[in-house]
Amino acid sequence: MLKVAASLTAHLAPNYHPLEVELTTGEGSWVTDVDGKRYLDCLAGYSALNFGHANPELLEATHAQLDKLTLVSRAFDHDQLLPFAAELTELTGTEMMLPMNTGAEAVETAIKAARRWGYQVKGVASEQATIIVADNSFHGRTTTIISFSTDATAKDAFGPYTPGFRIVPYGDLDAVRDAIDDTTVAVLFEPIQGESGVVMPPDNFLPGLRELCDEREILMILDEIQSGLGRTGTTLAQDHAGIRADLITLGKALGGGIMPVSAVVGRRDVLGLLTPGTHGSTFGGNPLACAVGRAVVRILKRGEVQESAQRLGVMMRERLQRIADAGHLAEVRSRGLWAGIDVEPQLGLTGRQLCERLAERGMLCKDTHGSTIRLAPPLTISEEDLHTAMDILEGVLNDQAHEVGLD
Ligand SMILES: *Cc1c(COP(=O)(O)O)cnc(C)c1O
């Protein structure tokens, strides 16, 4: 693996600690580094690459739009925006869409819309609105969003923080109920916590939350930026619970791994409160982003990637369970083609060390924290390639177990 020259790293802010690979091309589930070594990409851009690298259908739509019109700003209409809004709301079973760029901006937009609804419709006293959120959540990196983070690394020394959030234990419906008062305008949760290591709430949590929100007249906001758009075997992760949130944030895979495209979709009576001048973005809803987003929606509408996420997810689960049964994983959590695995502590291997060894053998992953890593290969990965990835993982863990005398 190539070691990047220290003289070059001096010019880059050190807010990431990447594995020592320097990639130069990508196709499907495979990426190649500057030395020509190939790796299976089992991070897939934190699920921004659900449809693989250089997806031909997405590239074609992008190239076609590049030659026509790329940016007009929202000062003018263009021919991609209204069709994108219609197609994305149809796909997600919602009424209205507000386009942004990054995931964090979509979350900020949902927070603003919920607060406005709280003041203008629910009648919450001015400046008093609260939103209930979960511990160990991840919703982005803006100052307001880190204000309700429980991750000290993400939060410390960035204050003063934005008030108006109440943190409850994730998946605890009684705690949500207890946190509600006259100031509560919304709850904001991930249907499955991604950065936290693919953590699922109890089965009754989302349906119970839906009922509670209806009963207490509170908006239910679900952040599907990482869990959505096919990853769990359904278009949205909340489909498993058979519910629809009032506002849903989408991002990551909505940009097809090509560019940042995000959106809030949801109720017309809520998003409709964001009238001209109250919210916006220079790049949000630009023609190129809309063309990419429309091509993503077209793929998802066919349902094939959701089906393969489901089918391959079963296979991945079986392979991971076998490794757990051998005593090398302490826990496996998965839904669709998305898994969080905790390395057995006795192996004495941090998530980071595991990722380094996997990379040596041609598989790219990222640790989330401690000895937990997340597996999220492109949904377009072949069965054979997924078996190869599982072989590599199994091999590294077997060798380590042998090394420490655990086999
Ligand atoms: C990645 C992520 C975000 C933030 O998206 P950015 O595009 O990095 O701003 C928000 N919520 C969830 C659940 C995410 O996984």
Side-chain angles (χ1 to χ4, degrees):
M1 262 178 285
L2 182 129
K3 193 129 176 104
V4 181
S7 62
L8 282 177
T9 66
H11 302 289
L12 180 67
N15 60 328
Y16 278 90
H17 178 35
L19 287 178
E20 281 177 19
V21 289
E22 192 173 345
L23 303 174
T24 171
T25 60
E27 195 184 344
S29 304
W30 292 88
V31 286
T32 306
D33 74 9
V34 288
D35 297 326
K37 178 172 172 171
R38 295 174 79 226
Y39 306 83
L40 270 167
D41 183 357
C42 291
L43 177 65
Y46 302 92
S47 290
L49 285 154
N50 278 1
F51 317 107
H53 293 270
N55 181 293
E57 189 174 345
L58 296 179
L59 278 189
E60 195 190 315
T62 309
H63 285 142
Q65 188 63 38
L66 263 178
D67 293 333
K68 287 201 284 192
L69 185 69
T70 52
L71 188 81
V72 297
S73 88
R74 291 291 302 277
F76 314 112
D77 280 332
H78 61 80
D79 63 1
Q80 297 296 309
L81 183 57
L82 294 178
F84 181 39
E87 290 155 11
L88 185 63
T89 51
E90 193 208 338
L91 178 79
T92 54
T94 54
E95 296 172 339
M96 194 172 255
M97 181 270 267
L98 193 155
M100 296 296 282
N101 311 284
T102 66
E105 288 173 305
V107 173
E108 290 273 353
T109 301
I111 291 169
K112 286 174 75 175
R115 286 180 169 185
R116 200 150 257 253
W117 174 86
Y119 298 127
Q120 298 188 342
V121 178
K122 204 183 171 192
V124 170
S126 173
E127 302 273 313
Q128 298 304 307
T130 56
I131 296 176
I132 298 169
V133 297
D135 60 358
N136 301 316
S137 65
F138 183 84
H139 297 285
R141 301 289 196 170
T142 63
T143 318
T144 286
I145 293 171
I146 59 150
S147 296
F148 57 87
S149 172
T150 53
D151 175 1
T153 310
K155 177 169 183 173
D156 283 0
F158 292 122
Y161 303 107
T162 306
F165 298 96
R166 283 192 193 147
I167 303 170
V168 300
Y170 182 63
D172 186 340
L173 199 56
D174 291 331
V176 177
R177 191 177 289 110
D178 291 344
I180 296 173
D181 66 16
D182 289 346
T183 65
T184 311
V185 297
V187 299
L188 163 62
F189 294 114
E190 296 160 89
I192 296 174
Q193 291 189 320
E195 293 305 303
S196 191
V198 191
V199 174
M200 271 152 284
D203 283 346
N204 64 355
F205 180 67
L206 292 177
L209 194 63
R210 180 65 275 178
E211 274 178 35
L212 183 61
C213 288
D214 288 341
E215 199 181 294
R216 302 297 299 269
E217 210 199 339
I218 291 162
L219 297 177
M220 180 178 187
I221 308 171
L222 289 181
D223 181 348
E224 293 252 20
I225 289 167
Q226 194 167 155
S227 59
L229 307 182
R231 176 53 60 188
T232 65
T234 47
T235 299
L236 298 174
Q238 64 194 279
D239 295 345
H240 294 282
I243 53 127
R244 203 40 95 237
D246 300 305
L247 296 177
I248 301 162
T249 54
L250 300 171
K252 292 202 165 94
L254 192 57
I258 293 170
M259 61 189 297
V261 183
S262 73
V264 181
V265 292
R267 270 164 54 178
R268 186 176 289 118
D269 65 322
V270 180
L271 288 175
L273 298 172
L274 296 177
T275 49
T278 60
H279 190 56
S281 160
T282 303
F283 289 96
N286 70 72
L288 189 60
C290 290
V292 172
R294 291 184 71 189
V296 165
V297 171
R298 251 189 326 270
I299 290 175
L300 285 165
K301 227 183 135 174
R302 294 199 297 265
E304 297 144 14
V305 286
Q306 294 93 317
E307 265 167 45
S308 47
Q310 211 158 60
R311 184 174 50 83
L312 295 172
V314 170
M315 186 274 256
M316 182 166 80
R317 175 83 196 192
E318 284 167 4
R319 293 287 316 254
L320 292 172
Q321 195 55 50
R322 198 168 87 191
I323 303 172
D325 291 344
H328 300 162
L329 295 176
E331 194 174 296
V332 177
R333 300 171 296 277
S334 78
R335 177 144 300 163
L337 203 50
W338 202 24
I341 57 174
D342 305 336
V343 179
E344 168 57 40
Q346 287 192 57
L347 288 188
L349 203 59
T350 64
R352 173 80 189 189
Q353 288 169 325
L354 174 57
C355 289
E356 282 165 357
R357 293 191 196 177
L358 293 172
E360 276 167 30
R361 298 190 195 186
M363 171 178 173
L364 295 181
C365 282
K366 172 80 171 69
D367 48 309
T368 54
H369 50 81
S371 59
T372 299
I373 70 169
R374 166 187 27 192
L375 300 172
L379 309 180
T380 52
I381 193 171
S382 70
E383 196 167 329
E384 193 189 347
D385 285 346
L386 188 57
H387 273 301
T388 301
M390 293 298 111
D391 290 343
I392 294 172
L393 177 66
E394 196 166 35
V396 166
L397 292 172
N398 279 343
D399 290 356
Q400 177 68 9
H402 186 67
E403 193 83 7
V404 299
L406 265 179
D407 53 352

